[in-house]
């Protein structure tokens, strides 16, 4: 029986590793496609990087990013790829929590939920807001 559990643990590790690699590759491809679209739509326009203009950040929320994707706005697609990159480790944590729950390893389920809570609080602006 012990060998079966080790095989399952190894399978879970392979799935988690594959999930991380696939998430990084997919998000990189999305950013690359968005970059090409952005460059195609903005041919010849020059940007002055000496002065920061916050009004140009039109995709400052997840909802705005998703609204910009169907109209093929390059900067929305780039930011969606970055969101994919951010949420890849979060998906790994969720999958790990599920696998620990299946294995009935409740201490690690609790630790996983604590980590997920910390990440969620950090992404929502932290405790300062």
């Amino acid at each position: 029986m012990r060998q079966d559990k080790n095989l399952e643990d190894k399978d879970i590790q392979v799935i988690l590793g594959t999930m991380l690699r696939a998430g990084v590759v997919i998000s990189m491809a999305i950013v690359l496609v968005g970059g090409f679209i952005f460059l195609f739509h903005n041919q010849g326009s020059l940007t002055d990087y000496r002065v920061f203009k916050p009004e140009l950040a039109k995709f400052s929320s997840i909802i705005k990013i998703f609204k910009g994707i169907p109209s093929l706005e390059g900067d929305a697609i780039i930011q969606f790829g970055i969101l994919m990159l951010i949420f890849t480790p979060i998906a790994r944590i969720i999958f790990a929590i599920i696998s620990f729950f299946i294995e009935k390893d409740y201490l690690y389920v609790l630790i996983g939920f604590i980590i997920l809570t910390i990440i969620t609080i950090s992404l929502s602006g932290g405790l300062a807001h």
Side-chain angles (χ1 to χ4, degrees), residues 5 8 10 12 19-20 23-24 37-38 42 45 50-51 56 62-63 75 78 85 91-92 97 105 107 111 115 129:
K5 186 173 193 275
E8 290 173 4
K10 187 174 182 178
I12 289 171
M19 181 186 298
L20 285 175
V24 169
I37 292 172
F38 180 79
N42 296 311
S45 65
R50 292 176 288 177
V51 179
L56 295 179
I62 294 175
I63 295 170
D75 39 0
I78 291 170
L85 188 63
R92 183 201 186 280
I97 290 171
D105 200 347
L107 176 63
I111 291 171
I115 292 170
H129 293 269

Side-chain angles (χ1 to χ4, degrees), residues 60-76:
S60 57
S61 72
I62 294 175
I63 295 170
K64 290 180 182 179
I65 292 171
F66 281 112
K67 286 182 180 178
I69 291 173
S71 60
L72 291 179
E73 295 189 43
D75 39 0

Side-chain angles (χ1 to χ4, degrees), residues 35-117:
F36 283 129
I37 292 172
F38 180 79
L39 290 175
F40 181 75
H41 286 283
N42 296 311
Q43 291 177 353
S45 65
L46 296 175
T47 304
D48 183 15
Y49 291 109
R50 292 176 288 177
V51 179
F52 176 68
K53 298 176 185 169
E55 69 272 4
L56 295 179
K58 53 186 171 178
F59 300 111
S60 57
S61 72
I62 294 175
I63 295 170
K64 290 180 182 179
I65 292 171
F66 281 112
K67 286 182 180 178
I69 291 173
S71 60
L72 291 179
E73 295 189 43
D75 39 0
I77 295 171
I78 291 170
Q79 289 189 0
F80 176 70
I82 293 171
L83 279 177
M84 290 284 296
L85 188 63
I86 290 170
F87 288 119
T88 297
I90 294 172
R92 183 201 186 280
I93 292 170
I94 292 169
F95 184 79
I97 290 171
I98 293 169
S99 66
F100 289 137
F101 186 78
I102 290 171
E103 293 177 0
K104 296 182 173 92
D105 200 347
Y106 300 118
L107 176 63
Y108 286 109
V109 171
L110 177 65
I111 291 171
F113 274 119
I114 291 171
I115 292 170
L116 198 58
T117 303

Side-chain angles (χ1 to χ4, degrees), residues 4-16:
D4 290 336
K5 186 173 193 275
N6 286 338
L7 183 63
E8 290 173 4
D9 290 343
K10 187 174 182 178
D11 291 340
I12 289 171
Q13 292 302 319
V14 168
I15 291 170
L16 290 174

